[in-house]
Amino acid sequence: DNTHAAGAVSDATNSIDIFTIPIAHTVVRCIHTNLLGATKEVTMVLKGTAGGSMGEGGDENALIYRPGDHPLTTPLPAAPDDGFLDSRSTKHRRLPHLLRDLEYIFETPGTAMRLLLPQPSPTRVTNIPRSIVESFGPQSLLTFPAVWSRLLRLAQGMDPQKRKISGGHVEYEQQRWLEAFGLSINIAGTRDALAESSSNSTPNSSKPPSLGPTREAANTGGLGERGQSEGLQRSTLHVKSSQIAALLPSPIKEANSTVAHACQLSCETSVKMTEAQLALIESALRHELSQHEGRGAIMGDWLKIPHSPLAGDSISFHLPLHRALARSIRSICSVVVPDESRISEPGSWWKLPVLDDDFPALPKGVNSDPGSLILQHPLCALLRPTLRSSNCRVVWSAGPDCSTPEAQLRRSRSRAVSAAIASAKIVHSLCDHPLRCLAASQQIERHLWARNGSSATGMALNYGSAPLCRSFRDLDLTLVQLSASGLSIGLGARRVFSLLVNRFSMDGYLCDPKLTSGTGSGASRSSSPTSGGSYGGGSSVWQNPPRLNDPDYAVVLSEAFFTTLCLVVTELPSPPPLSAFDDSALRRSMRRELLHALAAEPRSHSEAMAAASGAATRRDESDGSSGGSGGASSFYSVFVDVLKDIGQQKKQGSKTGPPTYELKPACSDEYDPTFFHLRRTEHQHAMDNIARLRRLKLSSGRKDSKKCLPLVSSPPLAHPRFMPTRLLLHLPPMDAAIRRMLLFALTDGQWLPPPEPEPAEITNDTDEGNFTETMGAVGLSGSPAQISLQAKLGRRTPNRSVKRSTSPMKHIPFSPAIVAASSKSFIEVLQILTLQVHTLEECASLHRTQPCLDEESKSLSASLSINSYLGRLIHVPFSLVDVWSLRCYPEGPLPSKGSGANRGSILGLLIALYEHRSDHGNGSRSTSDSGHGDDGHG
């Protein structure tokens, strides 16, 4: 066995044990030594020079190997910097050979499981001399998951990047990002071999394998170590007593004469607080945990971490610890779960081991201990053994001197709060750090990082394009989905949506317009909500959204936001198979991959197979006849069946060459405009092809029948653990974001409702009644491009008698012509609305099918129904009630064939766009453009 030590040889005279450590440990330590030894600070220490903070406090003990360190008990040190990217070992591709050796070890049958599973007894450690076990203790011996996690932490956050927000183009572009991506790709191959081998080892077992890497990755604390993005170093904790004043427990009130009313504590790597602040945090935690019974984010709304890639904050595309966790989770989701287990354990078979452990019942007689309830949270109990006394320092009101029982109580209280803060930071980082990468890649793809040069473009291309995106972007999406699905390891749908808006710099944009009193710097002086210039009897004005470096950034970022949201709720992990021969998940994934590949362009047989391989894992590509988890049919046979089902051979004509396959018209309605394995340019070609195929599909039916195909079909089936992620679509803030974007499209790019024109704007030569007389004779004239240009320049058309003014530019009153000339796309919003309809029934039943959900998710699910959804569609927010620009003619500018009521609602804005947008053929211009937009992309 090449993974365990040779037999121990004992010398009775000298009592010396001779043995070797497992070869997997040796390879990991060898890789770690090569990387750590190439960092700048370690090199300076080895040369005998003190650099930075290395000369004081003995920090070098945590950075380099010391004489006498035992390899089985000494944790691998952390790296102070990423200088190893400039070393010869990295540049000359020496480390990939070591990682490949480690990958071969994992692929040996049964080896990975023996490395991951814990020892059967802590007092019996196999193949380790008894003298070492007795000297250090069985708990001090490092397991392989701990050693592997330390190696991953070494590359966590390497090669940080900052957006260049001012100045000219970067003069000299560094190429070290190539070494960083090369190292991450090699680590990803070894990581995938380890994660997938756990399920390969037990193909016929219904019991999910242990999440050893998950437990150890959390225990090492690597997510909060230095070398991370600087955003985690600015974390603060905000707690107020106003919400829990009546719920403070009596023991706390008696033990403390005063309890803090509020606290704002910096919790970068440690936290310092007073006893009154400690009592406030304990009371708030106990109230929070008692409310959701352990199924929910701990301190979910307390932790504040400001970060904006657009504003120049540092981000790193390399998160091996996060992605190792995501890869392990996806492997667990693909483990066979037979019908017997689903029937016998309907409320727990879909849960993740360790991460989704139930909240244990609190024993009787422990309510007097303030930390007893806090430590019952599964993540707090997991992290407490790894914490240090310096993580949480409390200034006690009675002084440091106390009795022994009091000292034990103080230690218990401080460690409980320290574990809660550490849990909150890890839960937040599991969603936040991947989300920063997603936001930055979308910004780079839309040319918002142009000053950073082609290196930033190359990073975004490798991060988000197939096939490398499966090792980067796809795993980041998995962690965001895990967090949105809630329970004890996730933030929940509401907090993830808020974090999405913040990381995409959309705060103040994707919400209902707000009214403010006065005319301060944040108010719109030209836009008044009503005709009288006041609202509700006061002098309320619209509050302007935050100012960005460029006004066009908001449009680009909003498009990226909705696109990312579509990916988060659509591309969820597939349900687990029913047996080792169940290949339904592989068929669904391969059909989706191949369909979009053929929609973009016709492909040959080999090109189609290469595109379909994106849906397969290592075990899927293995031959099913070997008895592995590949199932009854091999990867190739499944590919042949899927290609025959959705593709057809294209007529070659006079051309020579291999035959190519194209998509069948009958499958055109399965196309997803935001499918994540196609690039934006490929989607542009795919949309043209899909429009043509849909016309063919409709023309083949009955001539007298009219059909309307949805923009996007129903999302794929999802694993039950991730289904609550789709509650993101049904949040009240989601409806507000949709309303704001529809209003933006209706007003041709205005984030606030247009103001009512002053009487002076209507001249004596222009009759006020004729100004909005009909939809065909309003405001502007000319082609759509001319109208749009005139609207942007603020000019009147020459065919009307207009009073000349001394002001060079004058604002054009809002009219149907402005709507007809609007070119603002809202196709992503239409896709969100379509997905809301598709997922309504599924989300409305979650509180019944998954009773173990957290309370917030269950409450949202229970409130969903057809009636409530219709009410959301016609709901008008308070700020948009009786707004001039949304009134119906003649009180307002826009006529309607209906009543025109509730125009400030989602449905009202959609009807207004349908009636007045020129690309729908119903604009205010002539009927010559009535056919424009038949492709359905308007």
Side-chain angles (χ1 to χ4, degrees), residues 85-103:
L85 293 177
D86 303 319
S87 66
R88 289 179 294 178
S89 298
T90 305
K91 287 188 174 182
H92 297 296
R93 306 294 188 269
R94 297 174 182 174
L95 293 178
H97 299 288
L98 292 173
L99 290 168
R100 185 60 60 87
D101 292 339
L102 193 60
E103 187 175 341

Side-chain angles (χ1 to χ4, degrees), residues 575-779:
L578 291 171
S579 65
F581 307 103
D582 183 9
D583 59 359
S584 57
L586 175 62
R587 290 180 178 272
R588 287 192 300 266
S589 300
M590 187 178 296
R591 180 186 181 92
R592 188 169 173 82
E593 292 280 351
L594 190 56
L595 184 142
H596 288 86
L598 296 179
E601 60 179 350
R603 298 177 184 260
S604 63
H605 189 276
S606 59
E607 291 174 343
M609 190 170 185
S613 63
T617 60
R618 295 174 179 234
R619 64 177 180 273
D620 293 329
E621 293 178 343
S622 62
D623 188 8
S625 61
S626 61
S629 57
S633 58
S634 64
F635 170 81
Y636 182 77
S637 62
V638 173
F639 164 75
V640 171
D641 294 341
V642 173
L643 181 61
K644 183 180 179 180
D645 188 24
I646 67 174
Q648 61 186 6
Q649 188 170 341
K650 186 178 180 180
K651 296 180 180 180
Q652 294 292 108
S654 60
K655 296 182 180 180
T656 59
T660 57
Y661 296 85
E662 61 181 359
L663 186 65
K664 290 182 179 179
C667 303
S668 59
D669 54 342
E670 300 180 34
Y671 169 73
D672 187 345
T674 59
F675 182 67
F676 63 160
H677 287 165
L678 289 184
R679 300 176 60 186
R680 295 180 66 193
T681 54
E682 294 174 323
H683 271 296
Q684 293 174 0
H685 296 291
M687 285 185 178
D688 295 336
N689 294 332
I690 290 298
R692 175 180 57 84
L693 293 175
R694 288 187 175 186
R695 285 194 293 268
L696 291 175
K697 179 179 180 179
L698 295 178
S699 62
S700 61
R702 294 176 54 187
K703 300 298 182 181
D704 57 344
S705 63
K706 294 183 179 180
K707 296 181 180 180
C708 180
L709 297 178
L711 179 64
V712 62
S713 60
S714 300
L717 296 177
H719 194 282
R721 175 62 177 81
F722 289 85
M723 285 172 58
T725 304
R726 290 173 177 161
L727 291 174
L728 284 167
L729 296 169
H730 302 280
L731 292 169
M734 182 75 258
D735 296 337
I738 293 175
R739 277 192 297 267
R740 192 66 174 269
M741 286 306 300
L742 293 177
L743 178 65
F744 179 82
L746 183 71
T747 58
D748 193 23
Q750 298 186 44
W751 290 103
L752 297 174
E756 183 176 4
E758 298 294 336
E761 294 186 25
I762 305 176
T763 65
N764 296 329
D765 298 332
T766 304
D767 182 71
E768 183 177 358
N770 294 333
F771 184 74
T772 55
E773 185 177 57
T774 61
M775 296 177 58
V778 181

Side-chain angles (χ1 to χ4, degrees), residues 280-601:
L280 172 64
I281 295 176
E282 287 176 336
S283 303
L285 277 172
R286 299 210 297 179
H287 170 61
E288 181 185 71
L289 295 176
S290 62
Q291 290 294 318
H292 56 59
E293 299 180 353
R295 301 189 186 101
I298 186 170
M299 295 185 175
D301 298 313
W302 305 1
L303 195 64
K304 307 297 180 183
I305 303 179
H307 188 275
S308 175
L310 187 69
D313 288 336
S314 177
I315 66 107
S316 173
F317 285 107
H318 307 283
L319 307 172
L321 268 175
H322 288 75
R323 289 161 191 158
L325 172 62
R327 194 63 191 85
S328 300
I329 291 174
R330 293 190 73 94
S331 180
I332 292 297
C333 291
S334 63
V335 172
V336 173
V337 181
D339 275 334
E340 294 78 10
S341 299
R342 304 186 187 202
I343 297 174
S344 60
E345 302 175 356
S348 60
W349 68 264
W350 46 269
K351 290 185 177 181
L352 299 175
V354 180
L355 300 181
D356 293 339
D357 288 348
D358 288 332
F359 189 88
L362 189 66
K364 297 181 179 180
V366 299
N367 290 328
S368 59
D369 184 3
S372 56
L373 182 60
I374 300 174
L375 290 179
Q376 300 303 307
H377 191 278
L379 200 56
C380 293
L382 186 69
L383 292 176
R384 185 176 184 181
T386 69
L387 299 176
R388 305 173 183 175
S389 59
S390 59
N391 293 128
C392 180
R393 297 182 181 273
V394 181
V395 180
W396 303 100
S397 57
D401 298 332
C402 61
S403 60
T404 301
E406 178 66 21
Q408 294 178 351
L409 180 60
R410 288 181 177 183
R411 189 180 303 109
S412 174
R413 293 174 62 186
S414 62
R415 295 195 67 179
V417 172
S418 179
I421 295 175
S423 301
K425 292 174 66 176
I426 286 183
V427 170
H428 190 278
S429 70
L430 288 179
C431 177
D432 189 16
H433 286 277
L435 192 53
R436 297 177 189 180
C437 297
L438 292 171
S441 67
Q442 292 282 349
Q443 295 167 11
I444 296 173
E445 186 179 350
R446 287 163 172 79
H447 310 291
L448 300 187
W449 287 47
R451 290 190 178 96
N452 289 66
S454 60
S455 59
T457 306
M459 283 183 269
L461 184 65
N462 285 272
Y463 173 81
S465 299
L468 297 183
C469 64
R470 301 182 185 98
S471 299
F472 294 94
R473 193 266 317 275
D474 295 3
L475 297 180
D476 289 346
L477 279 174
T478 300
L479 286 183
V480 175
Q481 294 161 349
L482 175 71
S483 185
S485 59
L487 296 184
S488 60
I489 198 64
L491 293 174
R494 175 179 59 85
R495 300 183 186 94
V496 169
F497 183 87
S498 177
L499 196 60
L500 267 166
V501 174
N502 180 265
R503 295 304 182 248
F504 278 86
S505 302
M506 285 284 96
D507 287 318
Y509 287 91
L510 297 182
C511 60
D512 289 320
K514 297 180 181 179
L515 292 166
T516 182
S517 60
T519 57
S521 59
S524 175
R525 300 177 182 176
S526 61
S527 300
S528 59
T530 61
S531 59
S534 62
Y535 193 79
S539 57
S540 299
V541 293
W542 295 115
Q543 181 179 350
N544 286 323
R547 177 175 297 179
L548 298 177
N549 293 342
D550 192 312
D552 293 335
Y553 285 178
V555 184
V556 176
L557 291 172
S558 62
E559 176 190 349
F561 169 83
F562 284 107
T563 301
T564 304
L565 190 62
C566 290
L567 296 182
V568 170
V569 300
T570 302
E571 308 297 340
L572 299 176
S574 299
L578 291 171
S579 65
F581 307 103
D582 183 9
D583 59 359
S584 57
L586 175 62
R587 290 180 178 272
R588 287 192 300 266
S589 300
M590 187 178 296
R591 180 186 181 92
R592 188 169 173 82
E593 292 280 351
L594 190 56
L595 184 142
H596 288 86
L598 296 179
E601 60 179 350

Side-chain angles (χ1 to χ4, degrees), residues 99-100 102-103 106 148 186-194:
L99 290 168
R100 185 60 60 87
L102 193 60
E103 187 175 341
F106 296 155
W148 172 245
N186 288 303
I187 292 177
T190 309
R191 173 202 67 205
D192 293 346
L194 178 63

